[in-house]
């Protein structure tokens, strides 16, 4: 329900003749506004795929609500989260290897022990998938790749080494 001209997202398609007014909410209540959710989702997808077009669409969505964010920031807390996310360097953690194989569960537990807001966690079996191309298990052991701004550190294969990488980062 993109508003391609002005940015942001409408709450409906605009194709239903029984709906007289097509709304573009500028308030996150108990349910966040469509534009706030879309901005966060676009930023996550851009971060997963290194996709500038999605990032630009997210930034245009945030910009469409700049007046509300400036006047009454508390009206759109989820959009503020999206704004904060848009101002940080992309950060990803990729666990490559079988879901239940060897160290994978211990590696996942270690990742979850650390507070890393805005970091995307991806899991890939055998390095499959466009977002994690070239990332694979090492000698049959699950490997973790910790990346910032799409540049990855050397992979680690055990929870102790992962802890050291995450504490330093």
């Amino acid at each position: 329900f993109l508003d391609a001209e002005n940015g942001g997202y409408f709450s409906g398609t605009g194709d239903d003749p029984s709906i007289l007014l097509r709304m573009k909410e500028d308030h996150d209540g108990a349910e966040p506004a469509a534009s706030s959710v879309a901005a966060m989702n676009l930023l996550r997808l851009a971060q997963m795929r290194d996709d500038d077009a999605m990032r630009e669409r997210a930034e245009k969505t945030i910009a469409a609500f700049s007046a509300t964010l400036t006047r009454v920031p508390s009206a759109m807390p989820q959009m503020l989260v999206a704004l904060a996310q848009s101002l940080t360097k992309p950060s990803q953690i990729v666990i490559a290897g079988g879901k239940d194989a060897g160290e994978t569960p211990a590696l996942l537990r270690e990742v979850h022990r650390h507070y890393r807001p805005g970091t995307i966690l991806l899991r890939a079996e055998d390095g499959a998938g466009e977002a994690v191309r070239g990332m694979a298990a090492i000698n049959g052991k699950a490997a973790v790749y910790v990346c910032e701004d799409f540049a990855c550190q050397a992979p680690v294969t055990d929870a102790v080494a992962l802890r050291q990488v995450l504490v330093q980062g």
Side-chain angles (χ1 to χ4, degrees):
F1 308 155
L2 173 67
D3 179 352
E5 186 176 322
N6 300 308
Y9 288 78
F10 293 105
S11 297
T13 63
D15 294 336
D16 185 345
S18 69
I19 298 176
L20 302 177
L21 183 62
R22 193 171 181 205
M23 301 291 292
K24 187 167 35 168
E25 296 291 331
D26 66 349
H27 177 78
D28 292 332
E31 191 175 287
S35 292
S36 297
V37 173
M40 278 304 301
N41 289 342
L42 287 164
L43 288 168
R44 285 186 189 111
L45 288 167
Q47 192 169 336
M48 286 179 198
R49 301 176 52 95
D50 192 11
D51 187 322
D52 289 335
M54 284 187 194
R55 183 168 190 77
E56 288 168 13
R57 187 182 286 183
E59 289 170 352
K60 185 174 181 181
T61 298
I62 295 165
F65 294 91
S66 62
T68 300
L69 294 173
T70 301
R71 260 188 353 267
V72 192
S74 61
M76 297 192 82
Q78 191 62 41
M79 188 65 80
L80 287 174
V81 172
L83 173 61
Q85 179 70 19
S86 74
L87 298 173
T88 63
K89 289 183 180 178
S91 175
Q92 306 87 15
I93 296 174
V94 179
I95 300 179
K99 178 179 162 187
D100 298 314
E103 285 284 305
T104 301
L107 293 168
L108 276 168
R109 281 192 302 276
E110 187 60 41
V111 168
H112 290 300
R113 283 189 181 109
H114 300 269
Y115 180 65
R116 296 179 64 99
T119 298
I120 300 293
L121 175 61
L122 301 167
R123 203 186 63 71
E125 290 196 39
D126 301 325
E130 183 179 330
V132 292
R133 192 173 322 154
M135 297 181 187
I138 298 173
N139 297 327
K141 292 180 77 176
V144 179
Y145 299 79
V146 178
C147 312
E148 185 172 319
D149 208 12
F150 303 100
C152 300
Q153 297 182 31
V156 295
T157 57
D158 67 81
V160 173
L162 177 58
R163 181 177 307 123
Q164 291 174 343
V165 170
L166 294 175
V167 168
Q168 291 171 359

